[in-house]
Amino acid sequence: MKHSVTGILLLFSVLFAGSASSQVAGYMGKRLMIGYANNFFPAITGPTASSYDIGVNTTHCFNLEYTAWKKTNLCLSYQVFKTGLNMNYVFTEYGDNNGSTYTASYRYLPKPDVPMNISAKNIGIGLKFFSSGCLAPVGRYKKFELLLLFSNLSYADNSFQYSRDYGYSVDQPKMASVGTGAYSYKTFALNFSMGRQRVLFDRLVLDYGMQVGFLPAGFFGTLNSELEFSSANSAEIVFRQETNQRLFRYQLFNLHIGLGFLAL
Amino acid sequence: MRRPHSFKVIAGFLFFACSTGSIAQFNQDYTPIVSSGALPAEFLATAKAISEQEISELGSVSDKSAKKQFIISNNYFLRDLLLSGDVLVNDPLSKYVNRVADELLKGQPALRQHLHIYVTRSSDVNAYAFDKGFIFVNAGLLAQLENEAQLAYILAHEITHVVKKHSVNQYIENIRLERGTSTYERGSSEERSLARYRFSKEQESEADIEGLKLMKQSSYSIKAMSGAFDVLQYSYLPFELVDFKKTFFEDEYLTMPDTLYLKKVSDVKANDDYDDTKSTHPNIRKRRGAIEPELKVDDENSRKKYLVSETEFKNVREIARFELCRLYLTERDYMNAIYASYILSQTYPDNLYLKKVMAKAMYNVLVNKPTLTSGGSSSFTIGGSNMSSKQYTIPDYNTIEGSSQRVYYMFEGMNSQELNTIALSYTFKAHKQYPNDAILSALTDSLFSVLVNGNSLFLNDFSKKSKAELKKLDTVKVADTVAVEESKYSKIKKQQQKTEVETDENFTKYAFVALLKDEEFVSRYTKMAKGLTQKPLTDEYAKPLPKSKKKKKKKNQVPLLGIDKVIFLDPFYMKVKNDHGTEYVKFYESEEHQKVLADIQKKCADKLKLEYTTVTTKGISESDIARYNENAVLNDWLGERFSHGDNNAEMVTSSEYIQELIKNSGTKYIAWSGIYNSKGKVHRNTYFFILLDLETGKLMKYETRYSRGRDNKDLITSFVYNSLMHVHKKPKS
């Protein structure tokens, strides 16, 4: 993560320096904006961090934007969010238990019953292009963003209910531990936003719009063949795939609203 | 003993003055008329306030909605006109016209009190009325009239429009016709369209008849007024038909070729029975025919052509004619300016004002002719935005009737070098007569500049010897050098010179024979050729600077101007509602947003530390006549400058009258911005910003932006700040 952040900051500073001397008015001479935005959308494709019931996915974004050219803002953002992962995994094992074939299933059933947790800390770098006729940072815009997602998956020990189904009989389910209980993953997403930015009272910046995100690892992971889930190593892989798919759905579509202020 | 003698001298002089038709006050110079005294109350209230009051007084009437709309739009147009500066207040022309109205309405004091009559600065031969009792008579009409009775009849005609409330009736009828609810016509769209014209013509006919009745109630001569229709019929002709002679520009040595002089001019056509189907007025024959049976009055002998004063009428008409010269210039009608100035110069040959009109008109015609270096192209880009080029072209002389046709023919026929020479010769002579006049002096330098930088004519391109002298010299030389063998080139040159001397060919070469004996002429010419002269009137013909290889202009880089102070004009703001292609102006909102834009402008300037001063008529008070006049000259200047488009080479002829404004403001830069917001399915905004140099007329910055969405304050602020930043920020050295 350290290397990625350093790289982004370096790129940002190069772009910043390159645009510093250009003839850009900004808004009343102010070109740097610091703000907070919230991306949100009902969690209809997965649980939230605390509940399987329908809730709202929400991402907290801390933004730094600089009007580098007449119609372009350079954007740097730090985002955090938490979400939940529903783990109910069913697979077929050719077990060694008397040579019988059975279907095994793992269900994550911790006490209290909350989903597996994914917490993500992301860094985004992007460009905001304002529509023709507008001057940054006011007006309608389209934003392209590269988002690096640093996510942690955590879950409780001994919380997987394991059971075998032989077809003619079912074992008594028993609780088991799967994997290490915490994994860290890195991936990236490409985001596209459309919105409108307004300046109120010559200082406050109101930003609203919608965002579509594409997380390649989540999208292509779905196409992979079924994974084995019989050892600690394969658990990590399965959890990675599940996590990415959850992140993919989380990023897919969001609305956003933000408030900031013109700093410099 | 001496008194009777003095009296005789004065009487003799007056007789001479009257017999030649000249008015002494115009012999030397003419100062354009300006408004004076206190501003009338009708200039002070806002359109919104007046409209609200009038609407509240409407009560329950038929077509209330249409009438409300009429009141609002009428008041806004009226307010615009009153504050445009085109309306003259307490000036000799308006005072006189009002006195004629007093005579006309002697028996109707209540009606007279209801009327507000003004003269407007416009060359159009026209007068018009607003239902509220406002009547405007253009200076162009006054310049054409033959007598006071004609003016009285025209006023009577307009008064009828007021009394009969023709404007509001026409407005309501137009709405009904549009909706198909009119009882007047319910046919097809084409039929309804023609019905509009028919309705208007009926009103005009009524105004003619009722106006005549009003005239009959006065003591004005009915016979004398009947010529008013001739004035209207021939309104497209200049105010006099005087034979135009090319000798006006010639001197002992400068002789223009006959090819530039149109031998026979077209006769003035007498078509008074033209097709008026799509005209708001009946044709002149119909109008004459309609009132003719009513023209007979028993007391014609006791009636008078002049009730106020014949002398005053002639004085007023002469002022109007002088004004017309200037109006023609500002309206870019250079041929009429030259001809009008020529006509008046016959009576006032030493008038400085007329000389300047002539010199300015010739200069502007010249800079629009393709020169050797320009190749006729004048299109260029300013501040990253293209402004369409507005090249002036002389109207085709074949379309002109009467003696002014010769002016069109001559100026069309001259190429740039020829016109440059003629104009310089004329202007320099005028400058010698009035050496202290800054405009003539600057024009001289500008003409030198075009001669050198545009036409590449230098001192040695002009002969110092006259044709007569050369003829003589040639005879002597031939006699002396019979035995000497001549080179081929010398023979060619001699042959060329012989042709030139014996014919009209290359007449410009001999144009400056007299002037080249003048030290100042030679010195100024030399200085210009060496590039030592500073500041001609416009700088388009200055020598181009050598191109720097090092500095490459970045694409779309807008130039930074580094200007410290500007004059802000009242911004333009128009909000319209677009309803299926028909646009309705939202007057109230437009007025409110105009104020918002003005405030944004000031806020951004403050933020940028850009100094500014404002020229505005907002909140004008009774004693603000100076402000009113300031706004008038500025509007005049802007109107003229905008008609030039991106043509920076053309001189803004009214620049002379804004020198005081520049001095008082402490800056020569004027900024004007505006928004046009149209709300249809979506909001569309057009923003513009224009910065002009008042001294040279140079368009320093022209910016337009088109955006979709509401015209929010922050959006406008970002536009304005961006424009002003480019104005104020200093370029990197």
Side-chain angles (χ1 to χ4, degrees):
Chain A
M1 181 170 170
K2 199 178 174 183
H3 287 300
S4 308
V5 174
T6 313
I8 287 164
L9 287 174
L10 196 66
L11 179 65
F12 193 78
S13 61
V14 167
L15 288 169
F16 183 93
S19 69
S21 61
S22 62
Q23 297 173 10
V24 181
Y27 184 85
M28 300 267 289
K30 291 186 175 70
R31 294 163 69 180
L32 184 70
M33 190 202 87
I34 298 167
Y36 165 83
N38 194 277
N39 292 0
F40 60 94
F41 203 70
I44 47 181
T45 61
T48 63
S50 56
S51 166
Y52 290 104
D53 300 329
I54 287 181
V56 177
N57 288 332
T58 175
T59 307
H60 305 281
C61 312
F62 303 92
N63 299 315
L64 199 63
E65 286 189 17
Y66 184 73
T67 304
W69 296 279
K70 254 184 189 177
K71 291 179 187 297
T72 313
N73 272 7
L74 291 178
C75 311
L76 187 66
S77 70
Y78 176 71
Q79 306 179 354
V80 290
F81 66 81
K82 280 186 179 174
T83 187
L85 183 63
N86 180 12
M87 184 56 77
N88 186 0
Y89 202 79
V90 181
F91 61 100
T92 306
E93 271 183 335
Y94 298 96
D96 51 1
N97 189 3
N98 303 324
S100 305
T101 304
Y102 56 88
T103 307
S105 68
Y106 284 90
R107 288 178 202 279
Y108 183 63
L109 290 171
K111 282 183 184 165
D113 190 13
V114 290
M116 294 171 82
N117 260 293
I118 300 172
S119 79
K121 289 174 179 142
N122 316 322
I123 289 174
I125 181 163
L127 291 168
K128 210 178 233 187
F129 299 106
F130 286 80
S131 299
S132 86
C134 300
L135 290 168
V138 179
R140 292 187 306 162
Y141 67 82
K142 292 181 177 74
K143 181 182 172 186
F144 298 92
E145 186 182 41
L146 171 69
L147 194 66
L148 300 183
L149 296 97
F150 303 94
S151 52
N152 291 312
L153 175 72
S154 59
Y155 52 91
D157 281 343
N158 207 27
S159 298
F160 285 88
Q161 187 189 60
Y162 177 69
S163 71
R164 290 174 175 177
D165 184 350
Y166 294 93
Y168 50 87
S169 72
V170 180
D171 277 359
Q172 184 66 30
K174 55 185 179 186
M175 298 309 287
S177 288
V178 176
T180 58
Y183 292 101
S184 295
Y185 302 118
K186 287 182 206 167
T187 188
F188 73 96
L190 297 169
N191 287 348
F192 169 73
S193 313
M194 281 170 74
R196 191 182 284 268
Q197 206 157 276
R198 294 204 51 197
V199 176
L200 309 171
F201 312 113
D202 296 333
R203 179 66 72 167
L204 291 178
V205 181
L206 178 68
D207 177 7
Y208 54 91
M210 49 150 277
Q211 178 186 292
V212 179
F214 179 71
L215 194 128
F219 178 73
F220 294 111
T222 334
L223 307 176
N224 283 352
S225 60
E226 195 173 272
L227 290 166
E228 289 296 317
F229 191 37
S230 56
S231 65
N233 283 341
S234 64
E236 186 190 354
I237 293 165
V238 169
F239 288 152
R240 180 199 297 271
Q241 180 177 302
E242 290 295 320
T243 305
N244 283 342
Q245 284 175 3
R246 178 70 192 101
L247 293 176
F248 170 78
R249 296 195 301 274
Y250 195 96
Q251 291 290 320
L252 192 62
F253 185 82
N254 278 289
L255 300 173
H256 73 262
I257 184 158
L259 200 63
F261 66 94
L262 291 164
L264 292 169
Chain B
M1 282 291 284
R2 289 178 67 189
R3 188 167 275 192
H5 176 71
S6 306
F7 176 76
K8 273 183 190 170
V9 170
I10 293 165
F13 171 74
L14 284 175
F15 173 76
F16 175 76
C18 291
S19 63
T20 54
S22 75
I23 299 169
Q25 72 180 85
F26 304 119
N27 282 341
Q28 285 301 305
D29 201 359
Y30 169 77
T31 309
I33 39 174
V34 290
S35 299
S36 61
L39 277 171
E42 56 264 28
F43 282 66
L44 311 178
T46 65
K48 190 179 178 183
I50 299 170
S51 301
E52 283 175 347
Q53 192 195 329
E54 287 176 8
I55 288 168
S56 71
E57 288 166 2
L58 261 182
S60 59
V61 287
S62 60
D63 297 302
K64 191 170 180 177
S65 160
K67 278 179 184 162
K68 267 170 75 174
Q69 197 57 41
F70 174 80
I71 286 171
I72 294 169
S73 61
N74 211 30
N75 279 322
Y76 273 87
F77 288 127
L78 183 61
R79 171 97 184 146
D80 265 1
L81 177 64
L82 289 176
L83 295 180
S84 67
D86 283 341
V87 179
L88 291 163
V89 180
N90 297 320
D91 66 296
L93 305 192
S94 292
K95 278 180 187 168
Y96 171 73
V97 173
N98 273 286
R99 286 175 66 191
V100 174
D102 292 344
E103 288 293 338
L104 185 68
L105 296 173
K106 246 182 185 166
Q108 301 184 58
L111 175 59
R112 178 64 190 96
Q113 214 171 359
H114 175 64
L115 298 174
H116 310 274
I117 305 173
Y118 296 100
V119 170
T120 44
R121 273 190 277 237
S122 168
S123 69
D124 283 347
V125 183
N126 197 13
Y128 49 99
F130 284 70
D131 279 0
K132 287 155 60 75
F134 284 84
I135 293 173
F136 298 97
V137 180
N138 288 348
L141 176 67
L142 290 177
Q144 296 264 2
L145 293 173
E146 289 175 313
N147 55 54
E148 194 178 294
Q150 289 176 350
L151 173 61
Y153 179 58
I154 287 162
L155 287 175
H157 173 101
E158 297 305 329
I159 291 166
T160 307
H161 281 315
V162 173
V163 173
K164 299 279 177 184
K165 297 207 172 295
H166 279 163
S167 298
V168 68
N169 291 341
Q170 187 166 10
Y171 185 87
I172 291 167
E173 200 54 49
N174 281 349
I175 290 175
R176 287 178 184 160
L177 282 164
E178 209 168 283
R179 291 178 185 158
T181 56
S182 171
T183 49
Y184 193 73
E185 176 65 70
R186 288 187 182 184
S188 67
S189 158
E190 172 71 13
E191 282 167 338
R192 279 182 281 152
S193 169
L194 290 176
R196 265 186 213 118
Y197 293 115
R198 217 163 51 236
F199 190 80
S200 169
K201 278 195 279 273
E202 282 177 15
Q203 289 187 330
E204 291 302 327
S205 298
E206 188 182 20
D208 283 346
I209 300 287
E210 294 298 317
L212 184 58
K213 283 182 188 164
L214 201 58
M215 278 292 280
K216 285 179 182 174
Q217 289 168 25
S218 75
S219 303
Y220 276 110
S221 162
I222 303 299
K223 195 178 163 190
M225 60 119 293
S226 61
F229 287 111
D230 290 330
V231 172
L232 299 177
Q233 183 180 349
Y234 299 111
S235 61
Y236 64 95
L237 293 171
F239 50 79
E240 287 283 359
L241 294 180
V242 173
D243 191 19
F244 179 73
K245 289 178 181 150
K246 69 184 175 74
T247 49
F248 182 78
F249 297 106
E250 293 177 339
D251 61 26
E252 193 184 343
Y253 306 104
L254 169 60
T255 314
M256 293 162 80
D258 290 338
T259 49
L260 290 174
Y261 190 71
L262 184 65
K263 285 184 182 61
K264 191 176 177 333
V265 296
S266 301
D267 293 332
V268 175
K269 291 180 187 116
N271 180 17
D272 61 356
D273 195 22
Y274 48 87
D275 178 20
D276 60 3
T277 321
K278 290 186 176 178
S279 171
T280 53
H281 290 62
N283 69 35
I284 300 292
R285 185 175 291 186
K286 285 178 190 162
R287 293 179 77 176
R288 266 205 200 98
I291 65 157
E292 215 165 86
E294 312 291 328
L295 284 175
K296 281 179 191 161
V297 279
D298 299 332
D299 59 345
E300 175 60 33
N301 289 339
S302 63
R303 290 172 173 272
K304 288 179 181 170
K305 263 190 198 177
Y306 299 94
L307 290 176
V308 176
S309 153
E310 181 175 356
T311 316
E312 205 174 331
F313 170 79
K314 287 187 174 160
N315 188 47
V316 160
R317 187 176 64 180
E318 209 72 331
I319 292 174
R321 289 176 174 184
F322 270 86
E323 278 297 310
L324 211 51
C325 293
R326 196 164 72 89
L327 291 170
Y328 283 142
L329 281 180
T330 55
E331 290 163 10
R332 234 185 172 197
D333 187 354
Y334 300 131
M335 293 300 105
N336 267 325
I338 289 170
Y339 190 61
S341 166
Y342 174 83
I343 296 168
L344 291 169
S345 294
Q346 304 303 303
T347 319
Y348 311 103
D350 292 324
N351 186 288
L352 170 62
Y353 170 87
L354 294 176
K355 284 180 191 295
K356 284 196 280 190
V357 169
M358 183 69 81
K360 286 173 183 177
M362 284 202 288
Y363 177 78
N364 276 354
V365 175
L366 170 67
V367 294
N368 279 290
K369 282 201 178 251
T371 60
L372 286 177
T373 53
S374 74
S377 168
S378 77
S379 177
F380 53 94
T381 304
I382 298 160
S385 295
N386 261 313
M387 198 175 176
S388 61
S389 178
K390 288 187 179 172
Q391 197 81 10
Y392 167 80
T393 47
I394 299 168
D396 181 6
Y397 75 92
N398 287 306
T399 60
I400 308 300
E401 293 171 19
S403 44
S404 67
Q405 196 183 18
R406 287 204 170 104
V407 181
Y408 292 79
Y409 183 82
M410 178 189 279
F411 282 88
E412 211 175 312
M414 279 192 276
N415 64 31
S416 177
Q417 291 189 343
E418 290 168 345
L419 178 55
N420 200 167
T421 313
I422 301 289
L424 180 57
S425 165
Y426 179 88
T427 309
F428 188 75
K429 283 174 201 164
H431 158 67
K432 289 302 271 188
Q433 192 179 353
Y434 293 99
N436 296 327
D437 187 82
I439 295 293
L440 283 175
S441 179
L443 261 171
T444 304
D445 273 337
S446 292
L447 286 161
F448 274 127
S449 174
V450 184
L451 203 63
V452 169
N453 301 311
N455 284 317
S456 301
L457 284 175
F458 296 89
L459 267 176
N460 54 8
D461 290 311
F462 295 95
S463 175
K464 284 182 182 170
K465 290 188 169 63
S466 69
K467 287 185 178 181
E469 282 173 309
L470 284 170
K471 258 185 199 172
K472 202 174 159 188
L473 202 66
D474 192 41
T475 322
V476 176
K477 253 191 176 176
V478 170
D480 287 353
T481 58
V482 168
V484 180
E485 198 176 323
E486 270 189 305
S487 75
K488 181 174 84 178
Y489 309 105
S490 169
K491 280 178 189 169
I492 293 168
K493 277 181 189 167
K494 264 195 167 181
Q495 184 53 49
Q496 280 174 347
Q497 197 174 62
K498 202 179 168 194
T499 315
E500 280 171 12
V501 167
E502 285 169 4
T503 64
D504 283 338
E505 209 173 280
N506 203 6
F507 75 95
T508 53
K509 187 172 175 181
Y510 305 93
F512 297 154
V513 173
L515 297 177
L516 287 172
K517 293 183 176 87
D518 186 290
E519 261 181 44
E520 187 192 352
F521 184 86
V522 176
S523 148
R524 289 177 85 157
Y525 201 158
T526 313
K527 271 187 183 174
M528 182 58 72
K530 288 180 179 171
L532 299 172
T533 304
Q534 300 291 313
K535 270 180 109 178
L537 278 173
T538 60
D539 55 3
E540 290 307 297
Y541 285 92
K543 273 186 180 170
L545 293 167
K547 280 180 187 171
S548 165
K549 285 181 183 175
K550 280 181 187 173
K551 282 184 183 176
K552 271 191 179 175
K553 204 178 161 187
K554 281 184 190 171
K555 201 183 169 191
N556 296 328
Q557 187 97 330
V558 181
L560 301 173
L561 302 171
I563 290 167
D564 292 325
K565 190 174 182 184
V566 293
I567 301 168
F568 282 138
L569 263 186
D570 274 341
F572 167 87
Y573 214 113
M574 188 178 277
K575 282 178 87 78
V576 298
K577 189 182 165 193
N578 193 324
D579 190 4
H580 302 289
T582 312
E583 291 191 329
Y584 302 97
V585 181
K586 294 151 103 181
F587 290 102
Y588 288 173
E589 290 92 329
S590 298
E591 195 177 45
E592 279 160 17
H593 278 75
Q594 191 186 25
K595 195 180 172 309
V596 170
L597 181 55
D599 290 343
I600 288 175
Q601 213 163 241
K602 287 174 191 168
K603 184 176 75 179
C604 292
D606 287 340
K607 183 82 184 163
L608 281 159
K609 294 191 172 71
L610 169 68
E611 282 184 73
Y612 61 87
T613 175
T614 50
V615 173
T616 177
T617 49
K618 292 274 170 294
I620 200 160
S621 70
E622 193 183 310
S623 58
D624 273 341
I625 197 73
R627 209 166 116 194
Y628 179 82
N629 283 330
E630 200 173 57
N631 184 60
V633 285
L634 205 49
N635 275 346
D636 237 18
W637 189 94
L638 284 170
E640 184 186 356
R641 179 59 191 85
F642 289 146
S643 70
H644 298 176
D646 70 354
N647 194 345
N648 274 341
E650 210 164 314
M651 172 197 186
V652 185
T653 60
S654 51
S655 290
E656 181 180 357
Y657 308 109
I658 51 166
Q659 294 310 311
E660 205 172 318
L661 174 74
I662 296 173
K663 205 174 136 194
N664 294 341
S665 310
T667 178
K668 58 175 184 168
Y669 299 105
I670 185 152
W672 189 47
S673 60
I675 303 268
Y676 177 84
N677 171 261
S678 164
K679 187 195 168 194
K681 280 181 184 168
V682 291
H683 283 268
R684 288 174 202 278
N685 306 303
T686 305
Y687 163 82
F688 68 83
F689 180 88
I690 294 167
L691 185 81
L692 289 156
D693 181 333
L694 285 170
E695 263 176 14
T696 62
K698 187 168 183 173
L699 182 61
M700 306 293 292
K701 182 173 175 61
Y702 171 61
E703 185 184 347
T704 50
R705 292 195 175 277
Y706 306 97
S707 66
R708 289 174 70 175
R710 287 177 186 279
D711 50 343
N712 290 324
K713 215 171 161 182
D714 52 340
L715 185 81
I716 308 302
T717 304
S718 70
F719 292 167
V720 174
Y721 187 89
N722 181 62
S723 302
L724 293 181
M725 189 199 76
H726 289 126
V727 169
H728 186 53
K729 202 171 173 183
K730 288 186 171 51
K732 281 186 180 174
S733 53

